[in-house]
Amino acid sequence: MRWYSKTYIGVFMAFLYLPIMILIIFSFNDSKGRTFTGFTTKWFTQLFSDGAILDALWTTLVVALISSVIATIMGTAAAIGMEKMDAKLKSVVMNLTYVPIINPEIITGVSFMLLFVTAKKWFATMGMDFEFGWTTLILAHITFNVPYVILNVLPKLRQLDHSLVEAAMDLGCNPLQAFLKVAIHEIKPGIIAGFLMALTFSMDDFVVSYFTTGAKHQTLSVMIYAMTKKRISPEINALSTMIFIAVLVVLVIVNLLERKAERKSKYSSVKWKGGARDHVK
C-alpha cells in the first residue's frame, strides 16, 4: 500500500504543479511559439514597459485590496451580529450567507450586470453619470467576498472565552474598549484568514469581473481572456512566474513566523510551569 499511496501523491502533485512548471519554463523561452528555442529574460524586461498589462495588474491589485478590506470590516461586523442572534434567526441568516458561495458565478455575474445596467438608467434619469469600471468592480467583489469573511470569523467567535471580555469590563472598560482590546485579539486569526481568502478570490475572479468591468478598466483575468482569441503574450508568462514566486515567498515567511510563534509559546509555557513548581516548593 505504501507504493500505491506514494504513486497517488506523486501523480496528484504532478497534476497540480506540472502546468505551473511549464509556464515558468516558457516564461524564459526565446521565441513566442510553443517550442523552447533558447533561454532569455527579455519578456521580464518588456513586461515593465507594457502599459496595458501593467494597467490591468494595477486594476486587479487595487480592486482586490479595497474590496477585501471593506469586505473584512463588513464580514466581521456581520459575524459579531449573527453570533448574538437567537438560534432560528441565525439559522436563516446562515443559509442566506451560503447562497452567494453555492450560487454559480455566471448567475452572480449576470445578476450584477443587470443591477448595474438598471442603476445606470436610474442615474441617467437624474442627469447623473454611472459607468462600468472601478465602482462596479469593487461593489461586486465586496459582495461575493463578505460571506467568506463571515465563515472565517464565526468559528473564532464561538471559541471566544466571553469571561475575558466580562473581566475587562469589570476592570473599567466599556463594551467597545473590551471588544477592541480583548475580543479582537482573540478572533484576529479568523479576521486575517478571511481577509486573505477575500484577497485571493478577488484577484482570481474572472466571471463576475467579466460582467462588471468597463472598457477603461479591466482586470488581469479579463485581459488574458481577451488575449486567448489571438495569442497570449509571453509577457503574461513572465508576470505569472513573478506572481507565483511572490506567493511562494509569502507562504514560506508565514510558515516560518508561525513556527517561531509556536516555539516561543511552548518555551513560555514550559518556563511558566517550571516557575510555578519552584514557587510551590
Side-chain angles (χ1 to χ4, degrees):
M1 291 297 291
R2 286 185 177 181
W3 68 267
Y4 176 78
S5 61
K6 289 180 180 179
T7 303
Y8 172 77
I9 292 172
V11 172
F12 179 73
M13 297 298 286
F15 181 77
L16 282 179
Y17 292 102
L18 189 59
I20 298 175
M21 294 300 105
I22 293 174
L23 181 144
I24 293 174
I25 291 170
F26 275 89
S27 67
F28 296 99
N29 188 14
D30 190 42
S31 67
K32 293 184 177 181
R34 298 178 181 177
T35 304
F36 194 86
T37 58
F39 182 86
T40 184
T41 57
K42 65 181 180 181
W43 306 120
F44 291 87
T45 306
Q46 293 182 17
L47 170 65
F48 293 100
S49 60
D50 192 321
I53 294 178
L54 293 179
D55 286 344
L57 177 62
W58 173 250
T59 301
T60 302
L61 293 175
V62 171
V63 169
L65 284 171
I66 294 176
S67 63
S68 299
V69 170
I70 297 175
T72 301
I73 296 171
M74 293 177 63
T76 303
I80 294 169
M82 290 170 63
E83 188 64 20
K84 296 182 181 297
M85 292 178 179
D86 60 82
K88 291 184 179 180
L89 182 59
K90 184 179 179 180
S91 177
V92 173
V93 177
M94 278 298 296
N95 289 329
L96 292 175
T97 303
Y98 283 119
V99 171
I101 298 174
I102 302 172
N103 195 41
E105 280 192 279
I106 185 71
I107 297 176
T108 304
V110 173
S111 301
F112 276 121
M113 182 186 68
L114 294 174
L115 173 66
F116 293 140
V117 167
T118 304
K120 183 177 181 180
K121 292 180 180 178
W122 184 68
F123 277 103
T125 58
M126 298 188 298
M128 300 173 66
D129 191 22
F130 181 83
E131 296 293 335
F132 279 68
W134 288 108
T135 305
T136 54
L137 277 171
I138 291 172
L139 288 175
H141 281 231
I142 290 171
T143 305
F144 72 72
N145 277 333
V146 167
Y148 294 104
V149 178
I150 293 174
L151 295 177
N152 275 280
V153 176
L154 272 177
K156 291 299 178 182
L157 283 170
R158 295 192 188 103
Q159 297 172 10
L160 176 65
D161 186 358
H162 294 282
S163 61
L164 295 175
V165 180
E166 293 173 0
M169 294 176 67
D170 289 339
L171 293 172
C173 289
N174 58 44
L176 180 60
Q177 289 174 331
F179 173 76
L180 294 176
K181 293 183 178 181
V182 178
I184 199 73
H185 293 285
E186 295 295 318
I187 65 173
K188 185 167 64 174
I191 297 173
I192 294 174
F195 170 77
L196 292 176
M197 186 172 285
L199 186 69
T200 302
F201 277 106
S202 184
M203 291 185 66
D204 184 59
D205 178 72
F206 165 71
V207 177
V208 176
S209 298
Y210 181 78
F211 286 101
T212 57
T213 191
K216 296 180 180 178
H217 303 287
Q218 289 186 337
T219 59
L220 201 57
S221 58
V222 175
M223 183 183 182
I224 293 173
Y225 174 75
M227 285 183 176
T228 59
K229 297 177 182 178
K230 297 179 182 178
R231 175 181 287 180
I232 296 179
S233 171
E235 296 166 9
I236 296 297
N237 296 339
L239 178 61
S240 301
T241 299
M242 293 175 65
I243 293 174
F244 175 76
I245 293 173
V247 170
L248 191 62
V249 170
V250 170
L251 285 174
V252 170
I253 292 173
V254 169
N255 286 328
L256 290 175
L257 291 175
E258 286 181 353
R259 287 184 182 180
K260 186 178 179 181
E262 287 178 2
R263 290 174 184 173
K264 187 177 180 180
S265 177
K266 289 180 180 178
Y267 176 76
S268 300
S269 177
V270 171
K271 188 176 179 181
W272 183 84
K273 289 179 180 178
R277 292 194 193 100
D278 294 339
H279 180 72
V280 171
K281 290 178 180 179

